[in-house]
Amino acid sequence: MVKSKLEQDIIDALEAQAPLHGVDVVDVEVVGATKAPCIRVRLDKLEGDPINLDEVTAQTAWVSDTVEALDPIAGAYTLEVSSPGMKRPLRRPSDFARFAGEEVELTTTAMEGRRSYKGVIAETTDTAVTIQPEGEEAVTISFDDVKKCTLKPVYDFKGVKEGK
């Protein structure tokens, strides 16, 4: 996956501590203006049900301490700690393997003039993922060429009764 050096340094520092706290570092993004950027950290449980708001709140202190000790940005920045959400980012080969068969939206570095794909994760290896777009031939993309990949949210309104 393509990550900036700053993002990768933060990921590495957090991943060294995360197992001690029973969480997985799903993703780190540095976004916004260079004068006051925002560091977004997405966490999930190592196993079981998805992380909830109370658990995210409980994890924020050590995340903040770890990022502050790294001192990644000179000056002010905002730290956001959250769950991965419905559009969960996929960053590692193990993430792609875990969600095999799920629909994703994937952006690559330019490959034969095409940069984005929507389809199902058909297969993964340690070095690449095969995406099966609907009505098209499958395409295999090296993880080194993946810029961003997120699960496509599935909204299930079955069982929801109108007005209730």
Side-chain angles (χ1 to χ4, degrees), residues 106 108-115 117 139-142 145-146:
L106 186 141
T108 71
T109 55
M111 289 179 39
E112 300 175 16
R114 186 169 176 180
R115 298 181 64 117
Y117 297 86
V139 60
T140 300
I141 302 165
S142 166
D145 292 327
V146 176

Side-chain angles (χ1 to χ4, degrees), residues 11-130:
I11 288 169
D12 293 343
L14 292 171
E15 283 184 337
Q17 297 296 316
L20 303 173
H21 300 277
V23 296
D24 176 35
V25 178
V26 174
D27 195 31
V28 171
E29 286 182 303
V30 178
V31 297
T34 48
K35 288 187 178 183
C38 177
I39 299 173
R40 291 184 181 145
V41 177
R42 292 181 181 94
L43 303 175
D44 205 355
K45 290 182 184 178
L46 282 174
E47 295 178 13
D49 293 331
I51 197 164
N52 65 42
L53 183 59
D54 291 335
E55 293 162 333
V56 169
T57 302
Q59 301 294 332
T60 300
W62 76 265
V63 171
S64 179
D65 291 345
T66 303
V67 172
E68 191 62 31
L70 186 62
D71 196 21
I73 297 172
Y77 62 89
T78 301
L79 176 66
E80 290 180 5
V81 181
S82 69
S83 72
M86 290 185 73
K87 286 188 75 163
R88 180 192 183 99
L90 305 182
R91 180 173 56 87
R92 301 164 291 209
S94 60
D95 296 336
F96 286 84
R98 176 179 172 191
F99 292 101
E102 297 289 330
E103 194 165 355
V104 294
E105 297 175 351
L106 186 141
T107 306
T108 71
T109 55
M111 289 179 39
E112 300 175 16
R114 186 169 176 180
R115 298 181 64 117
S116 63
Y117 297 86
K118 291 180 183 178
V120 173
I121 298 174
E123 183 181 354
T124 63
T125 67
D126 290 341
T127 58
V129 60
T130 300

